[in-house]
Amino acid sequence: MADHTHDLFVIGGGSGGVRAARFAAQRGARVGMAESGRMGGTCVNVGCIPKKLYSYGAHYAEGFTEAAGYGWEIAQPPTLNWATLKANRAKEITRLNGIYEGLMTNAQVLRLQGHGRLLDAHTVEVTSDDGKTTRHSARHILIATGGTPFVPEFPGCDLVVTSDDMFDLPVLPRRLVVVGGGYIGCEMASIFHGLGAEVTLLYRGEQILRGFDEEVRAFTADEMCKHGVDVRVNADVARIEALPDGTRRLTLKDGAQLDADVVLYATGRRANVRNLGLEALGVRQAESGAIEVDEHFATSVPGVYALGDVVGRMELTPVALAEAMVLVDHLFGPAPGQSARTMDYDNIPTAVFTHPPIGTVGLGEQQARERFGAIQVFRGDFKPLKHTLSGSSERTLVKLIVDAASDRVVGLHMVGADAGEIVQGFAVALKCGATKAQFDATIGIHPTSAEEFVTLRTMARG
Ligand code: NDP
């Protein structure tokens, strides 16, 4: 231990890296951290936070329309000043970058601006923006370098943008084509439609949002279409050309053509492992590039650890934070009076900020049937009270999946306003193993959409 200048050296200042550095330092470890970009990683700079801010911005569009049903007379059709939205977002992100820097300073972490690369299992070389290199020795090294958007190779792939570019587009596109039906594709399609673009979403399979409950997928696709997003399934791009006026012309594999000002490829993300020195060191990676780790986030090379998006288990900020706490407990011992945490990937709630959003925790209907055999499905879809006057035809879906043998609720799903906010609370109940009888014994809060979860009495499917 005395041979090394650091107990822990972290490469990557995103959610997972910052959490590990901060809590390791709190346990008395000497910690160093290299980050080549701005602090906060994907979540703060080009992910969760700016995305959610733009989603709030986009929701005003329907708010303006719906307000008429409540008697508001808006004289002029409201217009979006894209430059103002971008500038206000940038200011907030800069403030958050500063907070993350402050977390490192206050924890007395040695913060280095530059690209970190492993020279061996205990040495990191950091190259600063001006090309100067420094070497740092550490008992443990943590790789928390996150992920980066993936665009497949095809004719015209250089004419597309990725989610990283969407927040600072010079001009709000009039026509946007989004390729990919996952989290990012669906969220960006909803957001940019709300901000005023004509949006077409192209998905190569039968239904968007693979992995989610089938009914949730279909319901969300319908609602997105009702809102005005042109969702096209079984649509695969063959090539893209640039016309002289800058228009992107897409030709699909079935020969159909469509024009756009911007084409966003949201076709997944890959581990950010470039130039880290992993191959030379023999750090085992999956075919996708994701670093392979055990339950303590140890890689195949003793002393080297990895967590967060770079290990590609569940690419969610709160998961990276939890993984970091598990690692800190493992390397430096748990907090006084507590036992070392372990990572449990069951019942992790998640939201997709489509319009309307999805909130989900536990298993989908099909997954639950495979796991438990006999299940009971309770569901309801309804027009929320707000829309009785707003004129909107938006509906809300609530759904519970119950294991018939134990009566435990093993899946809870919602598509509707504030689904993320609502499902977070119910996730605690699922984590505690709540039964359908306990849901039924809970008094609702009236009038809310959330109360529907405790008033679902009629079984839809057994
Ligand atoms: P996803 O894996 O969720 O979706 C990728 C989409 O692109 C899928 O629809 C996939 O189709 C499609 N696709 C993949 N390759 C191709 C190809 N070659 N041609 C055409 N289509 C293709 O990735 P995202 O980039 O949307 O998001 C990455 C991760 O980031 C998510 O899984 C999530 O963990 C996280 N995230 C979380 C958010 C949140 O919590 N709200 C928000 C945004 C991201 P197919 O289904 O057929 O494979």
Side-chain angles (χ1 to χ4, degrees):
M1 180 170 168
D3 295 335
H4 303 297
T5 47
H6 295 94
D7 299 309
L8 177 69
F9 196 96
V10 182
I11 306 179
S15 306
V18 166
R19 176 59 67 96
R22 184 154 74 99
F23 280 81
Q26 272 184 16
R27 305 271 155 87
R30 299 160 304 162
V31 183
M33 134 105 43
E35 165 60 57
S36 54
R38 283 150 53 120
M39 288 293 280
T42 302
C43 173
V44 166
N45 292 291
V46 285
C48 324
I49 301 299
K51 177 275 303 289
K52 189 79 189 283
L53 292 175
Y54 281 13
S55 172
Y56 283 130
H59 272 299
Y60 280 99
E62 63 210 27
F64 293 133
T65 314
E66 292 167 4
Y70 283 90
W72 290 99
E73 290 168 9
I74 299 171
Q76 302 292 329
T79 53
L80 176 80
N81 188 326
W82 174 236
T84 303
L85 176 59
K86 284 194 294 182
N88 290 348
R89 177 218 88 235
K91 196 166 145 216
E92 173 56 12
I93 300 308
T94 302
R95 189 183 73 84
L96 294 174
N97 296 143
I99 287 177
Y100 273 72
E101 292 286 1
L103 289 175
M104 295 297 85
T105 315
N106 295 340
Q108 298 188 327
V109 171
L110 175 70
R111 158 80 169 102
L112 298 150
Q113 183 69 31
H115 177 86
R117 192 167 68 92
L118 284 86
L119 296 184
D120 61 46
H122 299 283
T123 313
V124 177
E125 182 183 74
V126 178
T127 308
S128 63
D129 296 344
D130 58 7
K132 288 203 186 90
T133 59
T134 49
R135 287 185 180 188
H136 307 268
S137 75
R139 188 153 63 104
H140 310 293
I141 294 173
L142 171 61
I143 303 165
T145 46
T148 188
F150 158 78
V151 177
E153 291 277 329
F154 65 94
C157 60
D158 53 323
L159 298 171
V160 308
V161 303
T162 69
S163 56
D164 286 359
D165 308 305
M166 290 304 284
F167 301 104
D168 263 321
L169 289 175
V171 179
L172 186 79
R174 192 172 63 76
R175 301 160 302 175
L176 170 68
V177 170
V178 178
V179 179
Y183 275 84
I184 296 179
C186 292
E187 289 183 343
M188 286 291 183
S190 283
I191 290 168
F192 278 82
H193 173 263
L195 294 177
E198 249 172 54
V199 180
T200 306
L201 185 147
L202 303 177
Y203 175 56
R204 64 181 176 180
E206 293 290 328
Q207 186 54 281
I208 58 170
L209 293 165
R210 190 160 59 81
F212 286 81
D213 178 272
E214 295 293 336
E215 199 174 0
V216 166
R217 297 170 73 185
F219 192 90
T220 308
D222 279 355
E223 286 297 324
M224 285 174 70
C225 289
K226 265 162 59 181
H227 276 251
V229 176
D230 181 6
V231 178
R232 300 193 197 172
V233 296
N234 298 313
D236 224 341
V237 177
R239 63 175 189 278
I240 303 179
E241 294 143 280
L243 303 187
D245 69 351
T247 295
R248 271 56 178 137
R249 175 156 293 168
L250 294 92
T251 305
L252 307 189
K253 287 193 177 153
D254 66 5
Q257 287 195 323
L258 65 160
D259 290 349
D261 303 307
V262 171
V263 181
L264 163 65
Y265 257 68
T267 43
R269 297 174 62 84
R270 293 287 181 274
N272 197 3
V273 285
R274 216 164 46 87
N275 194 20
L276 288 176
L278 302 185
E279 292 80 8
L281 206 57
V283 174
R284 210 161 34 234
Q285 291 168 255
E287 218 171 287
S288 65
I291 299 176
E292 292 184 0
V293 290
D294 68 9
E295 75 274 23
H296 295 123
F297 302 99
T299 69
S300 57
V301 174
V304 179
Y305 297 81
L307 53 76
D309 287 2
V310 79
V311 305
R313 285 184 176 170
M314 286 187 94
E315 295 163 57
L316 301 170
T317 287
V319 171
L321 299 180
E323 291 176 345
M325 296 312 298
V326 171
L327 178 70
V328 168
D329 283 3
H330 174 66
L331 294 181
F332 304 108
Q338 292 183 9
S339 45
R341 279 167 271 213
T342 54
M343 198 60 209
D344 175 5
Y345 292 94
D346 279 342
N347 287 326
I348 291 177
T350 178
V352 187
F353 294 99
T354 39
H355 294 195
I358 302 170
T360 178
V361 57
L363 304 174
E365 186 175 336
Q366 298 70 20
Q367 287 174 308
R369 210 177 288 284
E370 280 160 28
R371 173 112 45 118
F372 295 103
I375 58 163
Q376 297 168 339
V377 177
F378 297 83
R379 67 170 306 286
D381 69 279
F382 56 91
K383 179 185 251 203
L385 179 62
K386 181 182 177 188
H387 296 319
T388 55
L389 296 197
S390 75
S392 165
S393 62
E394 184 178 299
R395 293 183 73 77
T396 292
L397 171 73
V398 295
K399 181 167 177 180
L400 291 179
I401 323 282
V402 179
D403 166 31
S406 65
D407 195 41
R408 271 184 50 219
V409 178
V410 294
L412 183 147
H413 311 274
M414 175 171 180
V415 185
D418 301 319
E421 307 289 344
I422 292 167
V423 170
Q424 178 69 83
F426 282 113
V428 180
L430 261 71
K431 203 78 190 156
C432 296
T435 61
K436 177 68 167 61
Q438 289 169 321
F439 268 65
D440 294 346
T442 303
I443 306 289
I445 299 176
H446 188 69
T448 62
S449 291
E451 71 178 315
E452 300 295 328
F453 279 115
V454 296
T455 56
L456 288 169
R457 297 287 185 265
T458 314
M459 197 199 306
R461 288 181 284 282

